[in-house]
Amino acid sequence: MPEYSDFRSDTVTRPTEKMRKAMAEAVVGDDVLGDDPTVQKLEALAADVMGKEAGLYVPSGTMANSIAIKVWTRELEEVIIESRSHIYNMESTHMTFISRVTPRPLSSNRGAMDPEEVERNIRKPSVHIPRTSLICVENTHNNWSGAVVPMENLKAIREIADRHSIKIHFDGARVFNASTASGIPVKEYAKIGDSLMFCLSKGLSAPVGSVLVGPKESIDYARRVRKALGGGMRQVGVLAAPGIVALTEMVDRLKEDHERAKKLAATIAGLPGISLNPEHIQTNIIIFALERSRISIPEFLTKMKERGILALATTGGIRFVTHKDIGDEDIDKAISAFHEILGG
Ligand code: TLP
């Protein structure tokens, strides 16, 4: 395969040399039997970093979210969720498929749901109506171009949840990007959620895995749900070991991804046919719309590919994501390609 500049996602990052060494040297055991010291170390570290009692290492962000929803809900219940969120749109309906609850999607201002609207949508059960038992938030917000949801908004939603004895699950797949951009420690974000999940395999560059953190009792139950879903893994310390490197050494470099994304956004925003407000780009995700009369999305992506650049079609248009394996030369290459394809 030719060497592409791969802007499709930060999930494409390859493990660092240090991660590969950590994998080779990992001390392992049977994690389903509770014997893998490397997994235990990662779970304890993740819980500590997030200020929660316990952590659970899982194969993917999707599994972490599905387990969390299963933990916090029962049948005949409903979940308030932002309408463009990853859980609602891109996780193959596990809310209904696994947890047998219904989503109640609400619109938002770039990922921030209106707290009053959230409160109005909390439903008391009756013979007709499900009980609202959970609110899901996402930060950074993938489909809103990696937007950082403001802390005041999250706190207002937390306050409402407390008043109504409702749980919050925080999809923090990119919570370290949110923290890097806002300067707010991840622990503060984690306080918003009864549970929070974050991904090791995106901008932090580990090859596999996410961690779900929360109260010990709930994480003990989550461990049983993980097993029921087929997510109990045996000598999985070989995968947890690079996760430890990700958590301890890769967070600081996320700001480089944000700087590169901002540079690319600022340059392409003025090009003919592109609809993008560069001020909306706060982290590592750029989503822009294309004027259809000028060029179609598939045609644009093909022309990019011909120039050695990969990007993705997504909600709202086209997505470019910066990450560890995108350097300044990839940004320059992309900028030239934009000019060649669109003029300007
Ligand atoms: N997002 C992926 C794709 O599914 C689109 C990506 O390339 O961005 N929450 C959020 C906010 C996510 O962006 C993702 C992955 C997940 C959860 C799920 O994580 P995985 O892919 O590990 O299941």
Side-chain angles (χ1 to χ4, degrees):
M1 183 166 134
E3 255 323 298
Y4 287 106
S5 298
D6 194 345
F7 288 89
R8 286 173 302 171
S9 181
D10 45 10
T11 58
V12 305
T13 42
R14 297 188 185 121
T16 61
E17 280 311 309
K18 196 151 180 189
M19 288 178 180
R20 289 183 185 274
K21 187 160 185 290
M23 292 174 85
E25 292 172 0
V27 182
V28 296
D30 187 328
D31 185 51
V32 175
L33 301 180
D35 285 348
D36 193 307
T38 308
V39 176
Q40 285 165 8
K41 189 173 163 191
L42 172 63
E43 292 177 342
L45 175 67
D48 184 50
V49 167
M50 295 294 171
K52 296 287 192 199
E53 281 176 9
L56 181 71
Y57 181 61
V58 291
S60 68
T62 301
M63 190 183 277
N65 285 333
S66 33
I67 291 173
I69 290 169
K70 185 70 193 152
V71 166
W72 296 126
T73 61
R74 300 290 173 265
E75 287 172 15
L76 308 183
E77 291 181 347
E78 187 169 73
V79 177
I80 291 179
I81 189 148
E82 198 274 334
S83 61
R84 280 203 196 180
S85 65
H86 196 275
I87 293 178
Y88 181 53
N89 292 284
M90 297 165 103
E91 299 190 5
S92 303
T93 73
H94 61 69
M95 228 184 244
T96 47
F97 174 58
I98 295 171
S99 296
R100 298 158 68 106
V101 291
T102 43
R104 191 161 183 82
L106 301 187
S107 62
S108 75
N109 176 15
R110 302 193 58 75
M113 291 181 283
D114 174 5
E116 283 176 17
E117 200 188 346
V118 169
E119 187 154 31
R120 273 200 305 279
N121 278 279
I122 294 174
R123 305 212 285 168
K124 296 269 173 290
S126 74
V127 70
H128 303 289
I129 294 173
R131 189 172 85 89
T132 307
S133 52
L134 181 68
I135 301 170
C136 292
V137 296
E138 179 178 322
N139 195 17
T140 64
H141 198 297
N142 184 345
N143 283 327
W144 282 107
S145 246
V148 180
V149 179
M151 185 52 108
E152 315 80 73
N153 176 262
L154 295 168
K155 280 189 174 159
I157 292 174
R158 177 74 261 178
E159 202 259 315
I160 289 164
D162 286 340
R163 209 153 3 97
H164 292 269
S165 302
I166 290 175
K167 303 291 183 192
I168 294 184
H169 172 62
F170 192 126
D171 178 345
R174 297 185 180 85
V175 71
F176 286 100
N177 295 82
S179 167
T180 300
S182 66
I184 297 170
V186 283
K187 271 199 179 96
E188 293 302 311
Y189 285 121
K191 279 185 194 158
I192 300 296
D194 294 277
S195 57
L196 176 143
M197 88 84 174
F198 67 94
C199 294
L200 296 160
S201 62
K202 299 198 164 58
L204 301 184
S205 313
V208 178
S210 295
V211 186
L212 179 67
V213 294
K216 181 168 181 322
E217 205 185 335
S218 310
I219 295 296
D220 286 346
Y221 185 67
R223 198 173 291 281
R224 293 174 56 196
V225 178
R226 182 186 69 175
K227 185 68 172 70
L229 295 177
M233 298 173 286
R234 303 295 176 175
Q235 287 71 32
V236 71
V238 289
L239 296 180
I244 294 171
V245 179
L247 206 43
T248 50
E249 296 189 16
M250 302 302 282
V251 174
D252 283 350
R253 51 152 307 284
L254 294 177
K255 56 181 177 306
E256 296 167 32
D257 302 344
H258 299 181
E259 280 158 20
R260 292 198 173 100
K262 283 179 188 171
K263 180 180 170 194
L264 181 58
T267 317
I268 64 172
L271 294 182
I274 288 200
S275 167
L276 168 67
N277 179 349
E279 283 173 17
H280 283 163
I281 308 310
Q282 298 174 280
T283 60
N284 68 328
I285 301 179
I286 305 170
I287 297 176
F288 59 88
L290 270 182
E291 217 177 277
R292 242 185 256 162
S293 56
R294 194 172 287 269
I295 187 167
S296 74
I297 290 179
E299 204 186 333
F300 178 85
L301 291 175
T302 305
K303 283 183 185 290
M304 275 287 166
K305 194 169 178 185
E306 282 163 10
R307 288 162 176 79
I309 291 162
L310 301 179
L312 276 186
T314 189
T315 319
I318 291 179
R319 188 176 82 151
F320 275 67
V321 183
T322 55
H323 51 76
K324 170 180 77 62
D325 299 334
I326 289 291
D328 290 332
E329 61 293 349
D330 300 292
I331 299 292
D332 292 342
K333 183 169 145 192
I335 289 171
S336 309
F338 272 93
H339 281 293
E340 275 178 41
I341 299 167
L342 296 170

